[in-house]
Amino acid sequence: MRNRPLHPRLGAAGFRIALALFEPYFRRRNIFGVDSAFARSRFSAIKAKIERGETAYLAGLSAVGTHNSGVALVEVTRDRGPRLIFNNEEERFSGEKHTNAYPRHSIDALLSAMAGMGLKVEHIDAWLTSWDYITLWSTLIRIALEEAPGSFNLIREQATPAFNLRAVDRGARASRHITAHLGLREPLPLISMPHHDNHAWFSYAASPFARDTKPTMVAVLDGFGDMGAVSLYVCENGRMERRYCNNSIFDSLGVFYSVISSTQGGWTWLSSEGRYMGATAYGNNDRETNPYYAAMKPIFDFAPDGTILLNRNLANWQRDVLDRPYSDALIRILGEPIAQKDMWNPDAVLRVEDIRHKENTRERLDKAAATQMVFEDALVHVIGHFIRTTGGERLVLTGGTALNALANMRLLEHFDENFYRREFGRPGRLHLWVPPVPNDAGVSIGAAFMGAYHAAAGVGAPMEHAFYCGLPPNESDIRKVLAASPDVEWIELKSAADPQARALFADFMAYITAKDAIFALYQGAAETGPRALGHRSILANPCNPLTRENLNARVKYREAIRPLAPMMTLEAAKQFFELSDGANDADYNAYNYMVLTAHAKPEARARIPSVVHADGTGRLQIVRENTDPLTYAYLKALGRRIGVEVAVNTSFNVAGPIAQTPQQALDTLRRSKALDAVLMFSAEGPVFAALHGGTERKDVARFRQWLKAWQDETGQRLER
């Protein structure tokens, strides 16, 4: 097994030379490293400002050309520390999912929101990037040399859907772009923040573990960062210490899962991973009998020091990730990879419903299960060594791979009381927390939080709900798009500004859910990140066993392999699922964000079948009254209407980013022909029900009948 680069010394030498050359190159372009004299001076000035009792504002910027560009704003005060104000994802404005475009719309939206707060660009004390450009560029030189000449295939305009080399070049011109965009006379200096540090510190600061004195392990595992794909930290008493970085882009769990899931599932990177995880439930998940697991497991060498090393005799993506990612040996195990040109072809995409029609569908599902098991083995290996060397019991897991909610559950199962008794001879178990945005949708926030960290601003207040994206829709904007949409019928409803009115709307939503309506809830500022958690959600009846099939086929138009998530109260979660003691911190806060699965109890399969996946698990979202009173009231009303405080929740989108603006909400309604309604709650209070146009449509008539019937039953009136 060859588990090291062909030319490690050549790569290391190239990296050192590149660092020396790129540092002055970027400095001339007003981009400064975090350890530069400029950065130290700026952080010192911010610290002094905060200590004087003034408020500092830090902007996190993701514009290097990798996926998920955007901008975040963090407010920092002496008494409260850092506090997230906005996190604008560019995809929500452009409509291009995971876009790597310069975040022009996000910055414009930020400036508009700041103006409403009486703030100008001049109030921003520092602009901090989500990548360390100097190190990243040097790493690209290193990987091109390590497997030369074969690795020269990686130096292309676009190596993967997640990483565009032409777009990465914008990193060198980021200051120029934003200076011109903002109309500034002087060049705007940017401070480059290390990518994994951004992930780590923000995820820790947002966790339930950040406000006490015990040490917390923080593991960052993603596709790749500035230097490597695995970084481990220990945070304690407001300080962060990096214990390890693997300094390798290809010894990567994220790249492994992306390559296999796309070339075996038939979807492109960033779209393949979650779908493939859903497919694993239909495969053989027994390590003893799965026909592919034993042959796939050697894709990684599990070293005694806790590292994972890619088997470069099986993998070929370190040389040619786009056109020839498999070696001949891996082809013998998995078959030929699906080519980039064939992605999204209906004949190539993995469809669980084809199991009755295609001979190889069972094989493809077993390969998915084997891939997931190898991923879990590697994750357990890395985290196990981390635990053994630190003795820690609390882990914050972040980076893109932390979206693998099934593997997160496996960590809690593996590192239980028996493990700690066996390894340390004492009671204990792993306690795990994953942020709502462990992927790069949250790394702009991380850059701003890292700026606050260097200014000694502390961790800030606890974060109890999703980290919102931008501002809630106002009444005038909703009215404007409705008036300009003759193909959309709409009903103006009363205000939901007070708790009594909110309770009426909650009961009406529960009433139509009991009638098997499928509708969208559009309220407040959109959640940031890949999960809709009650502000941009499509909701449905979990008790109807046909809900998943109907919603996937007729509303979302997505693969049948994809499960639906249960949204529920804490009481319902305890009733229907086996909640882990390792996720019970802050009243089971770890289950708030759909980043952790749990095993369903037998009662769940009988009563809420649409939210129990084929493997008997659910990816939970627990809703709290103090953070989302409307959605919580709706769940309580469901308990009265259908007997369970549970709803189906899936994101309010169809083949694109989650809807953010009123216009995008109506566009999504148009694309989703079987969606009964979009309930649009304005910031000022008035509510609007948007329906498909045409009185002859059965769904429009049905919604009006439901509204009338509910009003007759309750003696209350929602129509204005």
Side-chain angles (χ1 to χ4, degrees), residues 499-500 502-511 514 569 607 630 632-646 710 713-714:
Q500 292 76 19
R502 192 162 55 234
L504 294 179
F505 277 100
D507 188 64
F508 173 67
M509 291 191 297
Y511 176 87
T569 62
R607 298 190 63 189
L630 174 62
Y632 181 82
Y634 163 65
L635 293 172
K636 298 299 287 187
L638 280 176
R640 298 186 295 271
R641 290 284 182 180
I642 63 175
V644 296
E645 296 176 352
V646 183
W710 178 87
E713 175 194 303
T714 62

Side-chain angles (χ1 to χ4, degrees), residues 327-348:
S327 68
D328 291 340
L330 190 57
I331 290 173
R332 286 193 290 272
I333 297 170
L334 294 178
E336 289 284 349
I338 297 170
Q340 289 286 322
K341 64 181 178 60
D342 295 325
M343 297 293 178
W344 298 102
N345 185 319
D347 291 330

Side-chain angles (χ1 to χ4, degrees), residues 303-534:
D305 62 355
T307 59
I308 51 170
L309 302 171
L310 184 68
N311 181 346
R312 297 172 187 237
N313 293 329
L314 282 179
N316 195 54
W317 49 81
Q318 72 279 8
R319 287 181 289 268
D320 193 349
V321 72
L322 193 64
D323 292 333
R324 196 170 181 271
Y326 292 11
S327 68
D328 291 340
L330 190 57
I331 290 173
R332 286 193 290 272
I333 297 170
L334 294 178
E336 289 284 349
I338 297 170
Q340 289 286 322
K341 64 181 178 60
D342 295 325
M343 297 293 178
W344 298 102
N345 185 319
D347 291 330
V349 166
L350 176 57
R351 295 164 55 91
V352 68
E353 58 268 35
D354 284 340
I355 201 164
R356 296 184 298 271
H357 309 294
K358 289 188 176 181
E359 292 182 2
N360 70 344
T361 299
R362 167 55 60 194
E363 297 174 358
R364 296 179 70 185
L365 292 169
D366 287 345
K367 291 172 188 177
T371 301
Q372 176 71 21
M373 288 188 287
V374 171
F375 177 90
E376 292 170 4
D377 291 347
L379 183 62
V380 165
H381 179 71
V382 172
I383 300 303
H385 187 267
F386 196 15
I387 293 172
R388 291 184 183 95
T389 55
T390 63
E393 295 184 15
R394 302 186 307 170
L395 172 69
V396 173
L397 184 66
T398 188
T401 63
L403 289 173
N404 193 310
L406 187 59
N408 297 344
M409 181 182 70
R410 303 296 186 212
L411 288 178
L412 289 172
E413 292 176 339
H414 187 88
F415 299 111
D416 60 3
E417 293 85 353
N418 292 330
F419 172 86
Y420 276 79
R421 192 176 296 111
R422 183 174 65 250
E423 293 293 328
F424 301 110
R426 59 172 171 81
R429 67 155 299 121
L430 181 67
H431 287 253
L432 175 69
W433 194 80
V434 180
V437 278
N439 65 336
D440 279 8
V443 80
S444 297
I445 310 172
F449 261 72
M450 271 305 295
Y453 173 81
H454 284 285
V459 296
M463 295 186 183
E464 296 181 300
H465 191 44
F467 311 140
Y468 295 124
C469 201
L471 295 171
N474 58 51
E475 180 183 355
S476 62
D477 286 344
I478 293 176
R479 288 186 182 277
K480 184 184 300 183
V481 299
L482 289 171
S485 303
D487 61 324
V488 172
E489 186 170 341
W490 54 282
I491 305 170
E492 184 173 353
L493 305 174
K494 65 190 295 183
S495 173
D498 62 81
Q500 292 76 19
R502 192 162 55 234
L504 294 179
F505 277 100
D507 188 64
F508 173 67
M509 291 191 297
Y511 176 87
I512 65 174
T513 301
K515 301 296 184 181
D516 287 323
I518 299 177
F519 66 98
L521 178 57
Y522 176 85
Q523 59 143 340
E527 306 90 340
T528 191
R531 307 286 183 244
L533 301 170

Side-chain angles (χ1 to χ4, degrees), residues 101-375:
Y102 171 76
R104 176 173 299 277
H105 301 94
S106 296
I107 294 172
D108 286 341
L110 175 64
L111 296 177
S112 176
M114 288 176 62
M117 300 167 59
L119 299 174
K120 300 179 180 179
V121 171
E122 297 79 52
H123 288 96
I124 297 178
D125 295 276
W127 290 78
L128 307 119
T129 69
S130 61
W131 290 80
D132 177 350
Y133 296 152
I134 301 167
T135 302
L136 176 63
W137 279 41
S138 301
T139 296
L140 295 177
I141 298 297
R142 186 188 76 206
I143 65 172
L145 295 174
E146 283 181 339
E147 295 281 345
S151 52
F152 291 162
N153 288 309
L154 298 171
I155 308 300
R156 302 181 179 194
E157 286 188 358
Q158 185 167 347
T160 75
F163 194 78
N164 187 318
L165 289 176
R166 173 179 288 181
V168 167
D169 182 55
R170 284 200 307 269
R173 295 173 278 132
S175 174
R176 188 178 74 189
H177 284 315
I178 195 168
T179 297
H181 183 181
L182 299 178
L184 303 177
R185 294 182 178 180
E186 298 294 327
L188 184 72
L190 306 178
I191 301 175
S192 289
M193 310 300 289
H195 188 71
H196 278 190
D197 287 4
N198 299 336
H199 275 302
W201 179 251
F202 169 63
S203 299
Y204 167 71
S207 77
F209 308 141
R211 276 147 288 277
D212 58 43
T213 58
K214 295 180 181 179
T216 297
M217 303 173 289
V218 182
V220 182
L221 296 97
D222 57 7
F224 55 88
D226 311 307
M227 291 187 66
V230 179
S231 295
L232 306 176
Y233 303 78
V234 172
C235 296
E236 184 176 8
N237 295 324
R239 303 298 299 171
M240 180 173 71
E241 177 190 356
R242 187 169 70 182
R243 294 287 183 89
Y244 168 78
C245 177
N246 70 346
N247 295 334
S248 169
I249 282 181
F250 294 110
D251 298 325
S252 166
L253 281 178
V255 172
F256 159 73
Y257 208 90
S258 292
V259 169
I260 301 300
S261 62
S262 62
T263 56
Q264 290 294 318
W267 312 280
T268 52
W269 285 36
L270 305 180
S271 297
S272 62
E273 297 85 352
R275 289 173 165 88
Y276 210 57
M277 183 180 70
T280 65
Y282 297 92
N284 181 340
N285 286 279
D286 186 330
R287 286 172 170 79
E288 297 296 325
T289 60
N290 182 292
Y292 301 98
Y293 168 73
M296 280 191 68
K297 187 169 183 178
I299 197 76
F300 286 113
D301 178 16
F302 296 173
D305 62 355
T307 59
I308 51 170
L309 302 171
L310 184 68
N311 181 346
R312 297 172 187 237
N313 293 329
L314 282 179
N316 195 54
W317 49 81
Q318 72 279 8
R319 287 181 289 268
D320 193 349
V321 72
L322 193 64
D323 292 333
R324 196 170 181 271
Y326 292 11
S327 68
D328 291 340
L330 190 57
I331 290 173
R332 286 193 290 272
I333 297 170
L334 294 178
E336 289 284 349
I338 297 170
Q340 289 286 322
K341 64 181 178 60
D342 295 325
M343 297 293 178
W344 298 102
N345 185 319
D347 291 330
V349 166
L350 176 57
R351 295 164 55 91
V352 68
E353 58 268 35
D354 284 340
I355 201 164
R356 296 184 298 271
H357 309 294
K358 289 188 176 181
E359 292 182 2
N360 70 344
T361 299
R362 167 55 60 194
E363 297 174 358
R364 296 179 70 185
L365 292 169
D366 287 345
K367 291 172 188 177
T371 301
Q372 176 71 21
M373 288 188 287
V374 171
F375 177 90

